CSV table of all heavy atoms in Angstrom, one decimal:
chain,number,residue,atom,x,y,z
Q,697,MET,N,49.9,47.6,14.8
Q,697,MET,CA,48.4,47.8,15.1
Q,697,MET,C,47.8,48.6,14.0
Q,697,MET,O,46.7,48.2,13.6
Q,697,MET,CB,48.4,48.7,16.4
Q,697,MET,CG,48.5,47.8,17.7
Q,697,MET,SD,47.0,47.0,18.0
Q,697,MET,CE,47.3,46.4,19.7
Q,698,ASN,N,48.4,49.7,13.6
Q,698,ASN,CA,47.8,50.6,12.7
Q,698,ASN,C,47.6,49.9,11.4
Q,698,ASN,O,46.7,50.1,10.7
Q,698,ASN,CB,48.7,51.9,12.5
Q,698,ASN,CG,47.8,53.1,12.5
Q,698,ASN,OD1,46.6,53.0,12.6
Q,698,ASN,ND2,48.5,54.3,12.6
Q,699,THR,N,48.7,49.2,10.9
Q,699,THR,CA,48.6,48.5,9.6
Q,699,THR,C,47.5,47.4,9.6
Q,699,THR,O,46.9,47.2,8.6
Q,699,THR,CB,49.9,47.9,9.3
Q,699,THR,OG1,50.4,47.1,10.4
Q,699,THR,CG2,50.9,48.8,8.8
Q,700,GLN,N,47.3,46.8,10.8
Q,700,GLN,CA,46.2,45.8,10.8
Q,700,GLN,C,44.9,46.4,10.6
Q,700,GLN,O,44.1,45.8,9.8
Q,700,GLN,CB,46.2,45.2,12.2
Q,700,GLN,CG,47.0,43.9,12.3
Q,700,GLN,CD,46.9,43.2,13.7
Q,700,GLN,OE1,46.6,43.9,14.6
Q,700,GLN,NE2,47.2,41.9,13.8
Q,701,ILE,N,44.6,47.5,11.1
Q,701,ILE,CA,43.4,48.2,10.9
Q,701,ILE,C,43.2,48.6,9.4
Q,701,ILE,O,42.2,48.3,8.8
Q,701,ILE,CB,43.3,49.5,11.8
Q,701,ILE,CG1,43.2,49.0,13.3
Q,701,ILE,CG2,42.1,50.4,11.4
Q,701,ILE,CD1,43.5,50.2,14.3
Q,702,THR,N,44.3,49.1,8.8
Q,702,THR,CA,44.2,49.5,7.5
Q,702,THR,C,43.9,48.3,6.6
Q,702,THR,O,43.1,48.4,5.6
Q,702,THR,CB,45.6,50.1,7.0
Q,702,THR,OG1,46.0,51.0,8.0
Q,702,THR,CG2,45.5,50.8,5.7
Q,703,ASN,N,44.6,47.2,6.9
Q,703,ASN,CA,44.3,46.0,6.0
Q,703,ASN,C,42.9,45.4,6.2
Q,703,ASN,O,42.3,45.1,5.2
Q,703,ASN,CB,45.3,44.9,6.5
Q,703,ASN,CG,46.6,45.0,6.0
Q,703,ASN,OD1,46.9,45.8,5.1
Q,703,ASN,ND2,47.6,44.3,6.6
Q,704,ALA,N,42.3,45.5,7.3
Q,704,ALA,CA,41.0,45.2,7.5
Q,704,ALA,C,40.0,46.1,6.8
Q,704,ALA,O,39.1,45.6,6.0
Q,704,ALA,CB,40.6,45.2,9.0
Q,705,GLY,N,40.4,47.4,6.7
Q,705,GLY,CA,39.5,48.3,6.0
Q,705,GLY,C,39.6,48.1,4.5
Q,705,GLY,O,38.7,48.0,3.8
Q,706,LYS,N,40.8,47.7,4.0
Q,706,LYS,CA,40.9,47.4,2.6
Q,706,LYS,C,40.2,46.1,2.2
Q,706,LYS,O,39.6,46.1,1.2
Q,706,LYS,CB,42.5,47.2,2.3
Q,706,LYS,CG,43.2,48.4,1.8
Q,706,LYS,CD,44.5,48.1,1.5
Q,706,LYS,CE,45.4,49.3,1.3
Q,706,LYS,NZ,46.8,49.1,1.2
Q,707,LYS,N,40.2,45.1,3.0
Q,707,LYS,CA,39.5,43.9,2.8
Q,707,LYS,C,38.0,44.2,2.7
Q,707,LYS,O,37.3,43.7,1.8
Q,707,LYS,CB,39.7,42.9,3.9
Q,707,LYS,CG,40.6,41.8,3.5
Q,707,LYS,CD,40.7,40.8,4.7
Q,707,LYS,CE,41.9,39.9,4.5
Q,707,LYS,NZ,42.2,39.0,5.7
Q,708,LEU,N,37.5,45.0,3.6
Q,708,LEU,CA,36.1,45.3,3.7
Q,708,LEU,C,35.7,46.1,2.3
Q,708,LEU,O,34.6,45.9,1.7
Q,708,LEU,CB,35.9,46.2,4.9
Q,708,LEU,CG,34.4,46.1,5.5
Q,708,LEU,CD1,34.2,44.7,6.1
Q,708,LEU,CD2,34.1,47.2,6.4
Q,709,ALA,N,36.6,47.0,2.0
Q,709,ALA,CA,36.3,47.8,0.8
Q,709,ALA,C,36.2,46.9,-0.4
Q,709,ALA,O,35.5,47.2,-1.3
Q,709,ALA,CB,37.3,48.9,0.7
Q,710,ALA,N,37.1,45.9,-0.4
Q,710,ALA,CA,37.1,45.0,-1.6
Q,710,ALA,C,35.9,44.2,-1.7
Q,710,ALA,O,35.4,43.8,-2.8
Q,710,ALA,CB,38.3,44.2,-1.6
Q,711,LEU,N,35.3,43.8,-0.5
Q,711,LEU,CA,34.1,43.0,-0.5
Q,711,LEU,C,32.9,43.7,-1.1
Q,711,LEU,O,32.1,43.2,-1.8
Q,711,LEU,CB,33.8,42.6,1.0
Q,711,LEU,CG,34.6,41.4,1.5
Q,711,LEU,CD1,34.2,41.3,3.0
Q,711,LEU,CD2,34.3,40.2,0.7
Q,712,ARG,N,32.8,45.0,-0.7
Q,712,ARG,CA,31.6,45.7,-1.3
Q,712,ARG,C,32.3,46.8,-2.2
Q,712,ARG,O,32.6,47.9,-1.8
Q,712,ARG,CB,30.8,46.4,-0.3
Q,712,ARG,CG,31.3,46.4,1.1
Q,712,ARG,CD,30.3,47.0,2.0
Q,712,ARG,NE,31.2,47.5,3.2
Q,712,ARG,CZ,30.6,48.3,4.1
Q,712,ARG,NH1,29.3,48.8,3.9
Q,712,ARG,NH2,31.2,48.8,5.1
Q,713,LYS,N,32.4,46.4,-3.5
Q,713,LYS,CA,33.0,47.2,-4.4
Q,713,LYS,C,32.3,48.4,-4.9
Q,713,LYS,O,31.1,48.2,-5.2
Q,713,LYS,CB,33.4,46.3,-5.6
Q,713,LYS,CG,34.8,46.6,-6.3
Q,713,LYS,CD,35.1,45.6,-7.3
Q,713,LYS,CE,36.6,45.6,-7.6
Q,713,LYS,NZ,37.0,44.5,-8.5
Q,714,ARG,N,32.8,49.5,-4.8
Q,714,ARG,CA,32.1,50.7,-5.3
Q,714,ARG,C,32.8,51.3,-6.5
Q,714,ARG,O,34.0,51.3,-6.6
Q,714,ARG,CB,32.1,51.8,-4.2
Q,714,ARG,CG,31.0,51.5,-3.2
Q,714,ARG,CD,31.3,52.2,-1.9
Q,714,ARG,NE,30.3,51.8,-0.9
Q,714,ARG,CZ,29.3,52.4,-0.6
Q,714,ARG,NH1,28.9,53.5,-1.3
Q,714,ARG,NH2,28.4,51.9,0.3
Q,715,ILE,N,32.0,51.6,-7.5
Q,715,ILE,CA,32.6,52.1,-8.7
Q,715,ILE,C,32.0,53.5,-9.1
Q,715,ILE,O,30.9,53.9,-8.6
Q,715,ILE,CB,32.4,51.2,-9.9
Q,715,ILE,CG1,30.8,50.9,-10.1
Q,715,ILE,CG2,33.1,49.9,-9.7
Q,715,ILE,CD1,30.5,50.3,-11.4
Q,716,LYS,N,32.8,54.2,-9.9
Q,716,LYS,CA,32.2,55.5,-10.4
Q,716,LYS,C,31.4,55.3,-11.5
Q,716,LYS,O,31.7,54.6,-12.5
Q,716,LYS,CB,33.5,56.4,-10.8
Q,716,LYS,CG,33.3,57.8,-10.8
Q,716,LYS,CD,34.6,58.5,-11.1
Q,716,LYS,CE,34.4,60.0,-11.3
Q,716,LYS,NZ,35.6,60.6,-11.8
Q,717,LYS,N,30.2,55.9,-11.5
Q,717,LYS,CA,29.2,55.8,-12.6
Q,717,LYS,C,28.3,56.9,-12.6
Q,717,LYS,O,28.3,57.7,-11.7
Q,717,LYS,CB,28.5,54.4,-12.4
Q,717,LYS,CG,27.6,54.4,-11.1
Q,717,LYS,CD,27.3,52.9,-10.7
Q,717,LYS,CE,26.4,52.3,-11.8
Q,717,LYS,NZ,25.9,51.0,-11.5
Q,718,ASN,N,27.4,56.8,-13.5
Q,718,ASN,CA,26.4,57.9,-13.6
Q,718,ASN,C,25.0,57.5,-13.2
Q,718,ASN,O,24.6,56.4,-13.6
Q,718,ASN,CB,26.4,58.5,-15.1
Q,718,ASN,CG,27.6,59.2,-15.5
Q,718,ASN,OD1,28.6,58.6,-15.7
Q,718,ASN,ND2,27.6,60.5,-15.5
Q,719,CYS,N,24.3,58.3,-12.5
Q,719,CYS,CA,23.0,58.1,-12.2
Q,719,CYS,C,22.1,58.0,-13.5
Q,719,CYS,O,22.3,58.9,-14.4
Q,719,CYS,CB,22.4,59.2,-11.3
Q,719,CYS,SG,20.6,59.0,-11.0
Q,720,VAL,N,21.3,57.0,-13.7
Q,720,VAL,CA,20.5,56.8,-14.9
Q,720,VAL,C,19.5,57.9,-15.1
Q,720,VAL,O,19.0,58.0,-16.2
Q,720,VAL,CB,20.0,55.4,-15.0
Q,720,VAL,CG1,21.1,54.3,-15.1
Q,720,VAL,CG2,19.0,55.1,-13.9
Q,721,VAL,N,19.1,58.5,-14.0
Q,721,VAL,CA,18.0,59.5,-14.2
Q,721,VAL,C,18.6,60.9,-14.4
Q,721,VAL,O,18.2,61.5,-15.4
Q,721,VAL,CB,17.1,59.5,-12.9
Q,721,VAL,CG1,16.1,60.6,-12.9
Q,721,VAL,CG2,16.6,58.1,-12.6
Q,722,CYS,N,19.5,61.4,-13.4
Q,722,CYS,CA,19.9,62.8,-13.6
Q,722,CYS,C,21.4,62.9,-14.2
Q,722,CYS,O,21.8,64.0,-14.3
Q,722,CYS,CB,19.9,63.5,-12.3
Q,722,CYS,SG,21.0,62.8,-11.0
Q,723,ASP,N,22.0,61.7,-14.4
Q,723,ASP,CA,23.3,61.7,-15.0
Q,723,ASP,C,24.4,62.2,-14.1
Q,723,ASP,O,25.5,62.6,-14.5
Q,723,ASP,CB,23.3,62.4,-16.4
Q,723,ASP,CG,24.2,61.8,-17.3
Q,723,ASP,OD1,24.3,60.6,-17.3
Q,723,ASP,OD2,24.9,62.5,-18.1
Q,724,ARG,N,24.1,62.4,-12.8
Q,724,ARG,CA,25.1,62.8,-11.9
Q,724,ARG,C,26.2,61.7,-11.7
Q,724,ARG,O,25.8,60.5,-11.6
Q,724,ARG,CB,24.5,63.1,-10.6
Q,724,ARG,CG,25.3,64.2,-9.8
Q,724,ARG,CD,24.4,64.9,-8.8
Q,724,ARG,NE,24.3,64.2,-7.6
Q,724,ARG,CZ,23.6,64.7,-6.5
Q,724,ARG,NH1,22.9,65.7,-6.7
Q,724,ARG,NH2,23.6,63.9,-5.4
Q,725,VAL,N,27.4,62.1,-11.5
Q,725,VAL,CA,28.5,61.1,-11.3
Q,725,VAL,C,28.3,60.6,-9.8
Q,725,VAL,O,28.2,61.4,-8.9
Q,725,VAL,CB,29.9,61.6,-11.5
Q,725,VAL,CG1,30.9,60.6,-11.1
Q,725,VAL,CG2,30.0,62.0,-13.0
Q,726,ILE,N,28.2,59.3,-9.6
Q,726,ILE,CA,28.1,58.8,-8.2
Q,726,ILE,C,29.2,57.7,-7.9
Q,726,ILE,O,29.6,57.1,-8.9
Q,726,ILE,CB,26.7,58.3,-8.0
Q,726,ILE,CG1,26.3,57.3,-9.1
Q,726,ILE,CG2,25.7,59.4,-7.8
Q,726,ILE,CD1,25.0,56.5,-8.7
Q,727,ILE,N,29.5,57.6,-6.7
Q,727,ILE,CA,30.4,56.4,-6.4
Q,727,ILE,C,29.5,55.4,-5.5
Q,727,ILE,O,29.0,55.7,-4.5
Q,727,ILE,CB,31.6,56.8,-5.4
Q,727,ILE,CG1,32.3,58.0,-6.0
Q,727,ILE,CG2,32.5,55.7,-5.1
Q,727,ILE,CD1,33.1,57.8,-7.3
Q,728,ALA,N,29.2,54.4,-6.3
Q,728,ALA,CA,28.2,53.5,-5.7
Q,728,ALA,C,28.5,52.0,-5.9
Q,728,ALA,O,29.4,51.7,-6.6
Q,728,ALA,CB,26.7,53.8,-6.2
Q,729,LEU,N,27.7,51.2,-5.3
Q,729,LEU,CA,27.9,49.7,-5.6
Q,729,LEU,C,27.5,49.5,-7.0
Q,729,LEU,O,26.9,50.2,-7.7
Q,729,LEU,CB,26.8,48.9,-4.7
Q,729,LEU,CG,27.1,49.1,-3.1
Q,729,LEU,CD1,25.9,48.3,-2.5
Q,729,LEU,CD2,28.4,48.5,-2.8
Q,730,LYS,N,28.2,48.4,-7.4
Q,730,LYS,CA,28.1,48.0,-8.8
Q,730,LYS,C,26.8,48.0,-9.4
Q,730,LYS,O,26.4,48.4,-10.5
Q,730,LYS,CB,28.9,46.8,-9.1
Q,730,LYS,CG,29.5,46.7,-10.5
Q,730,LYS,CD,30.3,45.4,-10.6
Q,730,LYS,CE,30.7,45.2,-12.0
Q,730,LYS,NZ,31.5,43.9,-12.2
Q,731,GLN,N,25.9,47.5,-8.6
Q,731,GLN,CA,24.5,47.2,-9.0
Q,731,GLN,C,23.6,48.4,-8.9
Q,731,GLN,O,22.5,48.4,-9.3
Q,731,GLN,CB,23.9,46.0,-8.3
Q,731,GLN,CG,23.6,46.2,-6.8
Q,731,GLN,CD,24.7,45.8,-6.0
Q,731,GLN,OE1,25.8,45.7,-6.4
Q,731,GLN,NE2,24.4,45.3,-4.7
Q,732,ALA,N,24.1,49.5,-8.2
Q,732,ALA,CA,23.3,50.7,-8.0
Q,732,ALA,C,23.0,51.4,-9.3
Q,732,ALA,O,23.9,51.5,-10.1
Q,732,ALA,CB,24.0,51.6,-6.9
Q,733,LYS,N,21.9,52.0,-9.4
Q,733,LYS,CA,21.6,52.7,-10.7
Q,733,LYS,C,21.3,54.2,-10.4
Q,733,LYS,O,21.5,55.0,-11.3
Q,733,LYS,CB,20.3,52.2,-11.3
Q,733,LYS,CG,20.5,50.9,-12.0
Q,733,LYS,CD,19.2,50.4,-12.6
Q,733,LYS,CE,19.3,49.0,-13.2
Q,733,LYS,NZ,18.0,48.5,-13.6
Q,734,TYR,N,20.9,54.5,-9.3
Q,734,TYR,CA,20.5,55.9,-9.0
Q,734,TYR,C,21.4,56.6,-7.8
Q,734,TYR,O,21.9,55.9,-7.0
Q,734,TYR,CB,19.1,56.0,-8.5
Q,734,TYR,CG,18.2,55.1,-9.4
Q,734,TYR,CD1,17.7,53.9,-8.9
Q,734,TYR,CD2,17.9,55.4,-10.8
Q,734,TYR,CE1,16.9,53.1,-9.7
Q,734,TYR,CE2,17.1,54.7,-11.5
Q,734,TYR,CZ,16.6,53.5,-11.1
Q,734,TYR,OH,15.9,52.6,-11.8
Q,735,CYS,N,21.5,57.9,-7.9
Q,735,CYS,CA,22.3,58.6,-7.0
Q,735,CYS,C,21.6,58.8,-5.6
Q,735,CYS,O,22.1,59.0,-4.6
Q,735,CYS,CB,22.6,60.0,-7.5
Q,735,CYS,SG,21.1,61.1,-7.6
Q,736,SER,N,20.2,58.7,-5.7
Q,736,SER,CA,19.5,58.9,-4.5
Q,736,SER,C,18.1,58.2,-4.6
Q,736,SER,O,17.7,57.7,-5.7
Q,736,SER,CB,19.2,60.4,-4.2
Q,736,SER,OG,18.5,60.9,-5.3
Q,737,ASN,N,17.4,58.2,-3.4
Q,737,ASN,CA,16.1,57.6,-3.4
Q,737,ASN,C,15.1,58.4,-4.4
Q,737,ASN,O,14.2,57.8,-4.9
Q,737,ASN,CB,15.5,57.7,-2.0
Q,737,ASN,CG,15.1,56.4,-1.5
Q,737,ASN,OD1,15.3,55.3,-2.2
Q,737,ASN,ND2,14.3,56.3,-0.3
Q,738,ARG,N,15.4,59.7,-4.4
Q,738,ARG,CA,14.5,60.6,-5.3
Q,738,ARG,C,14.5,60.2,-6.7
Q,738,ARG,O,13.6,60.1,-7.4
Q,738,ARG,CB,15.0,62.0,-5.0
Q,738,ARG,CG,13.9,63.0,-5.3
Q,738,ARG,CD,14.4,64.4,-4.9
Q,738,ARG,NE,14.0,65.3,-6.0
Q,738,ARG,CZ,14.7,66.4,-6.1
Q,738,ARG,NH1,15.6,66.8,-5.3
Q,738,ARG,NH2,14.3,67.3,-7.1
Q,739,CYS,N,15.7,59.9,-7.2
Q,739,CYS,CA,15.9,59.4,-8.6
Q,739,CYS,C,15.3,58.1,-8.8
Q,739,CYS,O,14.8,57.8,-9.9
Q,739,CYS,CB,17.4,59.5,-9.0
Q,739,CYS,SG,17.9,61.1,-9.4
Q,740,ARG,N,15.5,57.2,-7.8
Q,740,ARG,CA,14.8,55.9,-7.9
Q,740,ARG,C,13.3,56.1,-8.1
Q,740,ARG,O,12.7,55.4,-9.0
Q,740,ARG,CB,15.1,55.1,-6.7
Q,740,ARG,CG,15.0,53.7,-6.9
Q,740,ARG,CD,14.6,52.8,-5.7
Q,740,ARG,NE,15.4,53.3,-4.6
Q,740,ARG,CZ,16.6,52.7,-4.1
Q,740,ARG,NH1,17.1,51.8,-4.8
Q,740,ARG,NH2,17.2,53.3,-3.1
Q,741,GLN,N,12.6,56.9,-7.3
Q,741,GLN,CA,11.3,57.2,-7.4
Q,741,GLN,C,10.9,57.8,-8.7
Q,741,GLN,O,9.9,57.4,-9.3
Q,741,GLN,CB,10.9,58.2,-6.2
Q,741,GLN,CG,11.0,57.6,-4.9
Q,741,GLN,CD,10.0,56.5,-4.6
Q,741,GLN,OE1,8.8,56.6,-5.0
Q,741,GLN,NE2,10.4,55.4,-4.0
Q,742,ARG,N,11.7,58.7,-9.2
Q,742,ARG,CA,11.5,59.4,-10.5
Q,742,ARG,C,11.5,58.4,-11.7
Q,742,ARG,O,10.7,58.4,-12.5
Q,742,ARG,CB,12.5,60.5,-10.7
Q,742,ARG,CG,12.0,61.5,-11.7
Q,742,ARG,CD,13.1,62.3,-12.1
Q,742,ARG,NE,13.3,63.4,-11.2
Q,742,ARG,CZ,14.2,64.5,-11.4
Q,742,ARG,NH1,14.9,64.5,-12.5
Q,742,ARG,NH2,14.3,65.3,-10.5
Q,743,ALA,N,12.5,57.5,-11.5
Q,743,ALA,CA,12.5,56.4,-12.6
Q,743,ALA,C,11.3,55.6,-12.6
Q,743,ALA,O,10.7,55.2,-13.6
Q,743,ALA,CB,13.8,55.6,-12.3
Q,744,LYS,N,10.8,55.2,-11.5
Q,744,LYS,CA,9.7,54.4,-11.3
Q,744,LYS,C,8.5,55.1,-11.9
Q,744,LYS,O,7.6,54.6,-12.7
Q,744,LYS,CB,9.5,54.1,-9.8
Q,744,LYS,CG,8.6,52.9,-9.5
Q,744,LYS,CD,8.6,52.7,-8.0
Q,744,LYS,CE,7.4,52.0,-7.5
Q,744,LYS,NZ,7.4,52.0,-6.1
Q,745,TYR,N,8.4,56.4,-11.6
Q,745,TYR,CA,7.2,57.2,-12.0
Q,745,TYR,C,7.3,57.4,-13.5
Q,745,TYR,O,6.2,57.3,-14.2
Q,745,TYR,CB,7.3,58.6,-11.4
Q,745,TYR,CG,6.4,59.6,-11.8
Q,745,TYR,CD1,5.0,59.5,-11.4
Q,745,TYR,CD2,6.7,60.6,-12.6
Q,745,TYR,CE1,4.1,60.4,-11.9
Q,745,TYR,CE2,5.8,61.5,-13.1
Q,745,TYR,CZ,4.5,61.4,-12.7
Q,745,TYR,OH,3.6,62.4,-13.3
Q,746,GLN,N,8.5,57.6,-14.0
Q,746,GLN,CA,8.6,57.8,-15.5
Q,746,GLN,C,8.2,56.5,-16.2
Q,746,GLN,O,7.7,56.5,-17.3
Q,746,GLN,CB,10.0,58.3,-15.8
Q,746,GLN,CG,10.4,59.6,-15.2
Q,746,GLN,CD,11.0,60.5,-16.1
Q,746,GLN,OE1,11.8,60.1,-16.9
Q,746,GLN,NE2,10.7,61.7,-16.1
Q,747,ARG,N,8.6,55.4,-15.7
Q,747,ARG,CA,8.3,54.1,-16.3
Q,747,ARG,C,6.7,54.0,-16.3
Q,747,ARG,O,6.2,53.6,-17.3
Q,747,ARG,CB,8.9,52.9,-15.5
Q,747,ARG,CG,9.2,51.8,-16.4
Q,747,ARG,CD,10.1,50.7,-15.8
Q,747,ARG,NE,9.7,50.5,-14.4
Q,747,ARG,CZ,10.5,50.3,-13.4
Q,747,ARG,NH1,11.7,50.5,-13.6
Q,747,ARG,NH2,10.0,49.9,-12.2
Q,748,LEU,N,6.1,54.2,-15.2
Q,748,LEU,CA,4.6,54.1,-15.2
Q,748,LEU,C,4.0,55.1,-16.2
Q,748,LEU,O,3.0,54.7,-16.9
Q,748,LEU,CB,4.1,54.4,-13.8
Q,748,LEU,CG,4.4,53.4,-12.7
Q,748,LEU,CD1,4.0,53.9,-11.3
Q,748,LEU,CD2,3.6,52.1,-13.1
Q,749,LYS,N,4.6,56.2,-16.3
Q,749,LYS,CA,4.0,57.2,-17.2
Q,749,LYS,C,4.1,56.8,-18.6
Q,749,LYS,O,3.1,57.0,-19.5
Q,749,LYS,CB,4.8,58.6,-17.0
Q,749,LYS,CG,3.9,59.8,-17.3
Q,749,LYS,CD,4.5,61.0,-16.8
Q,749,LYS,CE,5.5,61.6,-17.7
Q,749,LYS,NZ,6.1,62.9,-17.3
Q,750,SER,N,5.2,56.2,-19.0
Q,750,SER,CA,5.5,55.8,-20.4
Q,750,SER,C,4.5,54.6,-20.7
Q,750,SER,O,4.1,54.4,-21.8
Q,750,SER,CB,6.9,55.4,-20.7
Q,750,SER,OG,7.3,54.3,-19.8
Q,751,ILE,N,4.3,53.8,-19.7
Q,751,ILE,CA,3.4,52.7,-19.9
Q,751,ILE,C,2.0,53.1,-20.2
Q,751,ILE,O,1.4,52.7,-21.2
Q,751,ILE,CB,3.4,51.7,-18.7
Q,751,ILE,CG1,4.7,50.9,-18.7
Q,751,ILE,CG2,2.2,50.7,-18.8
Q,751,ILE,CD1,5.0,50.2,-17.3
Q,752,LYS,N,1.5,54.1,-19.5
Q,752,LYS,CA,0.3,54.8,-19.6
Q,752,LYS,C,0.2,55.4,-21.0
Q,752,LYS,O,-0.9,55.2,-21.7
Q,752,LYS,CB,0.1,55.8,-18.6
Q,752,LYS,CG,-0.9,55.5,-17.5
Q,752,LYS,CD,-1.1,56.7,-16.6
Q,752,LYS,CE,-1.8,56.2,-15.3
Q,752,LYS,NZ,-1.7,57.4,-14.3
Q,753,LYS,N,1.2,56.1,-21.4
Q,753,LYS,CA,1.2,56.7,-22.7
Q,753,LYS,C,1.0,55.8,-23.9
Q,753,LYS,O,0.3,55.9,-24.7
Q,753,LYS,CB,2.6,57.5,-22.8
Q,753,LYS,CG,2.4,58.8,-23.6
Q,753,LYS,CD,3.8,59.3,-23.8
Q,753,LYS,CE,3.9,60.8,-23.5
Q,753,LYS,NZ,5.3,61.4,-23.7
Q,754,GLU,N,1.8,54.6,-23.8
Q,754,GLU,CA,1.7,53.6,-24.7
Q,754,GLU,C,0.3,53.0,-24.9
Q,754,GLU,O,-0.2,52.8,-26.0
Q,754,GLU,CB,2.8,52.4,-24.4
Q,754,GLU,CG,4.1,52.8,-25.0
Q,754,GLU,CD,5.2,51.8,-24.4
Q,754,GLU,OE1,4.8,50.6,-24.1
Q,754,GLU,OE2,6.3,52.3,-24.2
Q,755,SER,N,-0.3,52.7,-23.8
Q,755,SER,CA,-1.7,52.1,-23.8
Q,755,SER,C,-2.6,53.2,-24.3
Q,755,SER,O,-3.7,52.8,-24.9
Q,755,SER,CB,-2.1,51.6,-22.4
Q,755,SER,OG,-2.0,52.7,-21.4
Q,756,HIS,N,-2.4,54.4,-24.1
Q,756,HIS,CA,-3.3,55.5,-24.6
Q,756,HIS,C,-3.3,55.6,-26.1
Q,756,HIS,O,-4.3,55.8,-26.7
Q,756,HIS,CB,-2.9,56.8,-23.9
Q,756,HIS,CG,-3.8,57.8,-24.4
Q,756,HIS,ND1,-5.0,58.1,-23.8
Q,756,HIS,CD2,-3.6,58.9,-25.2
Q,756,HIS,CE1,-5.6,59.2,-24.5
Q,756,HIS,NE2,-4.8,59.7,-25.3
Q,757,PHE,N,-2.1,55.4,-26.6
Q,757,PHE,CA,-1.9,55.5,-28.1
Q,757,PHE,C,-2.6,54.3,-28.8
Q,757,PHE,O,-3.1,54.5,-29.9
Q,757,PHE,CB,-0.5,55.5,-28.4
Q,757,PHE,CG,0.0,57.0,-28.5
Q,757,PHE,CD1,1.1,57.4,-27.6
Q,757,PHE,CD2,-0.6,57.9,-29.3
Q,757,PHE,CE1,1.5,58.7,-27.6
Q,757,PHE,CE2,-0.1,59.3,-29.3
Q,757,PHE,CZ,0.9,59.6,-28.4
Q,758,SER,N,-2.5,53.2,-28.3
Q,758,SER,CA,-3.0,52.0,-29.0
Q,758,SER,C,-4.5,51.7,-28.8
Q,758,SER,O,-5.1,52.2,-28.0
Q,758,SER,CB,-2.2,50.7,-28.5
Q,758,SER,OG,-2.3,50.5,-27.1
U,1208,ZN,ZN1,20.2,60.9,-9.8
C-alpha cells in the first residue's frame, strides 16, 4: 500500500520537473519548474516594469 503511494508520487514529480535555479530578477535560489524565471509574482512584475522602463529610456535617447 505504502509503496504504491510513493511510486505514484514519484511519477507525478517526474511529470512536472522542478529544478534548482536562480530568479532572474533578485538572483534568489528557487526550486521551480524548468520554464519558470522568477521566484515570485513580485519579481515577475518587476521584470515587466524594468523592461518597459528600458524601452522608454531607449526611445528618449534617440
Ligand atoms: Zn526574485
Side-chain angles (χ1 to χ4, degrees):
M697 275 286 193
N698 227 353
T699 47
Q700 260 182 345
I701 291 164
T702 314
N703 282 341
K706 267 185 190 169
K707 255 186 195 172
L708 208 74
L711 277 175
R712 10 181 207 169
K713 220 172 199 172
R714 279 162 188 265
I715 57 162
K716 201 174 168 189
K717 63 198 300 186
N718 291 77
C719 172
V720 296
V721 177
C722 68
D723 214 35
R724 203 159 90 180
V725 177
I726 51 169
I727 310 290
L729 294 175
K730 209 175 174 184
Q731 69 266 28
K733 283 182 188 169
Y734 315 110
C735 66
S736 63
N737 233 12
R738 205 172 134 198
C739 278
R740 203 206 317 266
Q741 294 290 319
R742 198 192 280 185
K744 200 172 153 189
Y745 173 75
Q746 297 225 323
R747 205 167 52 222
L748 285 174
K749 213 168 82 172
S750 66
I751 289 166
K752 252 187 197 171
K753 217 186 222 175
E754 272 167 35
S755 58
H756 180 77
F757 272 121
S758 56

